[in-house]
Amino acid sequence: MDRRNFLKTAAGTGVLAATGGLAMPALSQGAAAKTLRFVPQANLANFDPIWGTQYVVRNAALLVWDTLYGIDDKFQPKRQMTEGEEVSADGLTWTFKLRSGLKFHDGTPVLAKDVVASLIRWSARDPMGLMIRAIQNEITAVDDRTFKWVLKQPYPKMLFALAKNNSPCTFIMPERIAKTDPFTQITEYVGSGPMKFLRSEWVPGAKAVFEKFADYAPREEAPSWLSGGKKMLLDRVEWVIIPDAATAAAALQSGEVDWWETALSDLVPVLKGHKDINVDIGDPLGNIGAFRMNHLHPPFNNLKVRQAVLTALNQEDYMRAIVGDDDKLWKPMASFFTPGTPLYTEEGGEMLKMKNVAAAKKLLAESGYKDEPVICVVAQDMAATKSMGDVTAELLKSIGMKVEFVATDWGTVGARRAQKTPPSQGGWSMFHTWHAGADCVNPASYTAIRANGDKAWFGWPDVPDVEKEVTNWFNAKDLAEEKAVMGRLNKAAVQNVVYAPTGFYLGYQAWRKNVQGVTSGPFPVFWGVSKA
């Protein structure tokens, strides 16, 4: 019996609810009301939100570190750590002033020099940061609360770059930590956000704990995504790592945990039938599944090999493996962009519709493929990546490729995908991930669409035609021009196979009914959440 049928059978017979309890300490009634136990999408194996781009790290970092600006649910940047900003008439000098009274968790004040060091580290890793870095004259602290960024040419999307929610965000750290090489992980986790990270209680693979920061001063505005007042109503948030979906569902039903970020669709019927549990779509903007190839080494440094994969790929196979039989939860997409958003386009996307194994075999033969093994590094502790990996192994074999399947965990994938060594020397050929729909509405915050070689995201595609259209989009003067550019960009990304989109899908979250304030969005929002 396969995983999906087993889970459905178990749910129908009540086996899940009877699963043995987790070994967690009991809480007093008062402490229980102020402690939220949360099951995240994956293990928090590392905790440097600039060094890596995993969503699980970003989500934890949103509790610990604050940002200068925050994007709201209308994709508009709003002031967060800043009190105000001025831009010169020629658009070349941006001057920012911090809010008064900002403190780090170690009790020291947040100063402009901390911000400057943090932005220097961020801009070395982030695509928009790299764009700013390429046109900057200097970034300096003027006084304790003021800093300025002087450019060689205008950058109209500066505030969006500082506010965006996709990784890496502009998390502000103390200067001593921010001076860590951006390609080396930090080892001290001190921020100025609404919660402190309790490193002494961190057990990778088991739990991560956050405690309310008493000196955090939230803004007065209503919260919306990363903007507004981040008012913590909880004293403590415990992340409980439960890779097995059946165990997570059982823990939620028994009340041992309060909120499950990524409730498996197979288990949703039994969760919906539980009188004490709410279930809803986690993010209405959904996710784009991704088959990410390494462009530096054989076999995927060969364009025809990448095109062979895209020609054979059937998105329905991937989507049904992830979400099952519910057609409302997924849709095919001949595109790299989020369906249903204003700039969505399928121009040039014909290859994503072919699903033609015979044509793929012909392309592979023409490519000169030398039977190099494809090192498929697949995280088994997340249902989506495991499901996609199983489909990919069969897909590659069907077109005549040799597969070496490396079953591992998401933390290991995150570390291994950063290596540029050849696959035969501990590197990789491909991995699976997903991109939040909120990150893929346009090129501004879409790290994975960039194709600027060594500065690109893992896989390091080098496609000048893609980069030219990204630049054209930033320079577009109106919506019509943006749409035209997006069509050309999508066509170039498909033809050159920057990566392989495996389809668009929605996912569920589930929480106990005594938890109030849970919202939907591209990341879990803990501020404003309370527990009876």
Side-chain angles (χ1 to χ4, degrees):
M1 184 180 290
D2 64 26
R3 172 187 63 86
R4 174 156 283 120
N5 286 328
F6 170 77
L7 289 172
K8 286 179 178 178
T9 302
T13 59
V15 171
L16 296 180
T19 302
L22 300 174
M24 293 190 295
L27 300 171
S28 67
Q29 186 171 351
K34 287 291 188 176
T35 299
L36 182 106
R37 284 172 164 164
F38 174 77
V39 182
Q41 59 185 246
N43 174 34
L44 186 66
N46 65 76
F47 198 23
D48 185 339
I50 304 301
W51 174 84
T53 59
Q54 291 176 307
Y55 285 134
V56 67
V57 177
R58 186 275 314 269
N59 296 349
L62 292 174
L63 287 169
V64 176
W65 289 282
D66 217 343
T67 54
L68 296 170
Y69 292 80
I71 208 76
D72 68 9
D73 61 4
K74 304 293 189 300
F75 294 97
Q76 296 301 309
K78 304 292 184 182
R79 294 169 186 159
Q80 192 59 33
M81 296 178 72
T82 54
E83 179 182 287
E85 69 287 325
E86 293 181 0
V87 59
S88 60
D90 59 8
L92 299 182
T93 301
W94 289 81
T95 305
F96 302 89
K97 188 167 186 178
L98 296 174
R99 288 198 288 147
S100 63
L102 299 176
K103 289 184 181 180
F104 286 116
H105 299 156
D106 60 6
T108 60
V110 178
L111 303 176
K113 66 178 184 177
D114 302 305
V115 174
V116 168
S118 296
L119 291 177
I120 289 172
R121 187 169 192 259
W122 164 80
S123 66
R125 298 302 304 263
D126 181 77
M128 295 188 79
L130 286 165
M131 293 177 75
I132 300 170
R133 198 181 181 99
I135 60 171
Q136 79 176 30
N137 271 323
E138 62 175 355
I139 178 171
T140 57
V142 177
D143 57 40
D144 282 352
R145 289 178 55 201
T146 310
F147 71 97
K148 66 177 180 180
W149 215 333
V150 183
L151 310 177
K152 298 172 185 175
Q153 64 187 63
Y155 191 75
K157 290 185 169 61
M158 172 68 82
L159 296 186
F160 184 86
L162 300 180
K164 66 185 182 63
N165 59 268
N166 74 302
S167 299
C169 305
T170 56
F171 293 119
I172 304 304
M173 304 176 178
E175 182 185 40
R176 68 180 186 279
I177 301 174
K179 283 188 172 180
T180 304
D181 185 301
F183 294 90
T184 301
Q185 289 190 53
I186 62 173
T187 56
E188 190 180 359
Y189 311 108
V190 177
S192 64
M195 303 205 85
K196 297 185 293 184
F197 183 60
L198 300 187
R199 184 174 182 176
S200 62
E201 297 191 42
W202 183 25
V203 183
K207 70 174 181 176
V209 181
F210 308 85
E211 181 180 74
K212 184 177 181 179
F213 178 39
D215 288 338
Y216 182 75
R219 298 188 69 91
E220 291 302 318
E221 302 93 338
S224 175
W225 285 11
L226 292 186
S227 71
K230 299 176 181 177
K231 297 180 181 179
M232 292 304 306
L233 306 179
L234 300 159
D235 289 341
R236 185 177 167 98
V237 174
E238 298 180 358
W239 282 26
V240 183
I241 313 303
I242 310 178
D244 179 70
T247 305
L252 187 66
Q253 291 177 85
S254 68
E256 292 170 276
V257 298
D258 304 299
W259 181 4
W260 184 14
E261 182 185 0
T262 52
L264 196 67
S265 58
D266 296 332
L267 302 177
V268 163
V270 72
L271 295 177
K272 283 184 173 180
H274 196 289
K275 64 182 180 63
D276 295 324
I277 294 176
N278 286 319
V279 181
D280 199 1
I281 295 297
D283 180 5
L285 286 172
N287 305 282
I288 295 173
F291 176 151
R292 191 80 182 181
M293 305 175 206
N294 191 332
H295 289 233
L296 297 182
H297 303 291
F300 294 130
N301 63 338
N302 186 318
L303 175 58
K304 281 197 172 182
V305 175
R306 300 198 303 273
Q307 289 177 337
V309 171
L310 213 62
T311 296
L313 187 145
N314 184 342
Q315 291 181 341
E316 183 173 353
D317 292 341
Y318 285 92
M319 293 298 96
R320 293 207 180 281
I322 295 173
V323 303
D325 300 328
D326 190 343
D327 289 341
K328 298 189 295 297
L329 292 179
W330 74 276
K331 61 179 66 176
M333 48 183 294
S335 179
F336 285 82
F337 299 98
T338 307
T341 56
L343 295 177
Y344 182 74
T345 176
E346 294 194 352
E347 183 176 331
E350 291 75 18
M351 202 183 308
L352 278 163
K353 300 178 181 180
M354 291 182 68
K355 299 176 281 189
N356 190 326
V357 172
K361 287 181 175 179
K362 183 173 183 294
L363 273 170
L364 190 66
E366 292 172 358
S367 75
Y369 171 63
K370 298 180 175 61
D371 205 35
E372 301 98 339
V374 179
I375 310 300
C376 299
V377 184
V378 181
Q380 303 293 293
D381 54 345
M382 293 196 299
T385 55
K386 181 183 186 306
S387 299
M388 286 191 283
D390 292 342
V391 174
T392 289
E394 295 306 313
L395 169 70
L396 297 179
K397 291 173 185 175
S398 75
I399 64 174
M401 301 191 79
K402 183 178 180 181
V403 173
E404 287 190 16
F405 196 91
V406 180
T408 185
D409 61 273
W410 187 233
T412 301
V413 172
R416 188 163 177 173
R417 70 185 185 180
Q419 299 179 29
K420 293 183 177 180
T421 51
S424 61
Q425 298 175 25
W428 56 279
S429 303
M430 64 76 56
F431 69 92
H432 281 294
T433 186
W434 70 97
H435 305 297
D439 295 350
C440 306
V441 296
N442 62 48
S445 59
Y446 197 169
T447 303
I449 198 69
R450 299 298 301 273
N452 49 343
D454 283 345
K455 295 177 181 178
W457 199 58
F458 309 116
W460 308 284
D462 188 354
V463 186
D465 285 349
V466 167
E467 286 300 296
K468 178 180 72 173
E469 298 305 343
V470 169
T471 300
N472 287 340
W473 182 84
F474 274 94
N475 295 331
K477 297 178 177 61
D478 53 38
L479 182 60
E481 193 172 331
E482 284 189 23
K483 287 182 175 180
V485 171
M486 289 286 281
R488 299 195 301 271
L489 173 56
N490 192 66
K491 182 177 181 179
V494 172
Q495 288 180 341
N496 291 280
V497 197
V498 171
Y499 74 88
T502 60
F504 173 84
Y505 65 98
L506 299 169
Y508 287 105
Q509 61 177 341
W511 65 100
R512 302 280 301 181
K513 288 183 178 178
N514 64 329
V515 177
Q516 304 296 318
V518 174
T519 59
S520 62
F523 45 83
V525 173
F526 294 93
W527 40 91
V529 173
S530 62
K531 181 180 170 187

